[in-house]
Amino acid sequence: MFETTTIRTDDKATLYKELAQQASGILAGETNLVANAANFAALVFNALPDINWSGFYLFDGTELVVGPFQGKPACVRIALGRGVCGAAASTRETQLVVDVHQFEGHIACDAASQSEIVVPLVRADGTLLGVWDVDSPSVGRFDDEDRAGMEELCRVFMTSVA
Ligand code: SME
């Protein structure tokens, strides 16, 4: 069993730093994509307050297909350029959505979701692995510290499956 101690801090930078350390510990020594993606999604879902979905959409060469996640069942396939996930995949830039109802084309998988952050996952050779998506039931849940923290977590994840 992995030791995942509860991180008690109001400081987001500290929270993400400790979470990145836990992620690298859990993913170390394993390179299997599904195994590491599943444990990564579970780690983040249980460590971060005020979120209702965390998981992966993986690029199959044509579109994004839902991968390992925590939360309610989600839409399975998302075309590039569609929704927040498709925007992250096609622009290859993190999408930070303060209020999903203000995002043209947002795909509502769980009606509870009010804000969202999606980080593109790009391999060292420049090809797209997929995206990492986290949803919150609160408007404005994610800010620039979350963006930096999530991007660092994704670097840890991508290193593990490289
Ligand atoms: N809201 C996303 C779809 C995926 S769910 O949030 C799990 C989007 O607009 O791409």
Side-chain angles (χ1 to χ4, degrees):
M1 241 344 120
F2 296 110
E3 287 298 323
T4 55
T5 50
T6 306
I7 305 167
R8 297 181 194 287
T9 177
D10 292 330
D11 172 18
K12 281 189 186 182
T14 304
L15 172 65
Y16 280 108
K17 195 168 165 232
E18 295 192 12
L19 200 46
Q21 281 170 1
Q22 290 194 1
S24 55
I26 288 171
L27 307 180
E30 180 56 68
T31 60
N32 181 273
L33 176 63
V34 172
N36 281 358
N39 267 337
F40 186 87
L43 174 71
V44 174
F45 188 77
N46 287 287
L48 291 184
D50 200 25
I51 64 176
N52 62 306
W53 202 90
S54 70
F56 292 85
Y57 277 88
L58 301 173
F59 184 54
D60 72 354
T62 305
E63 56 192 352
L64 298 169
V65 182
V66 75
F69 69 92
Q70 299 275 307
K72 288 190 179 172
C75 30
V76 176
R77 290 175 184 272
I78 298 176
L80 295 191
R82 278 207 59 227
V84 186
C85 291
S90 57
T91 62
R92 298 186 171 205
E93 283 180 7
T94 298
Q95 304 292 305
L96 200 166
V97 180
V98 171
D99 180 352
V100 297
H101 304 293
Q102 304 301 320
F103 187 98
E104 182 75 29
H106 167 255
I107 303 162
C109 291
D110 181 346
S113 298
Q114 302 293 320
S115 59
E116 177 164 7
I117 185 165
V118 183
V119 181
L121 303 172
V122 181
R123 298 185 188 90
D125 67 3
T127 58
L128 184 72
L129 174 68
V131 301
W132 165 246
D133 178 14
V134 183
D135 291 11
S136 169
S138 301
V139 171
R141 162 66 179 80
F142 305 106
D143 60 17
D144 283 337
E145 280 192 297
D146 294 285
R147 183 202 303 265
M150 293 289 185
E151 288 178 349
E152 179 57 27
L153 281 173
C154 287
R155 275 191 283 278
V156 171
F157 174 75
M158 290 303 284
T159 301
S160 80
V161 296

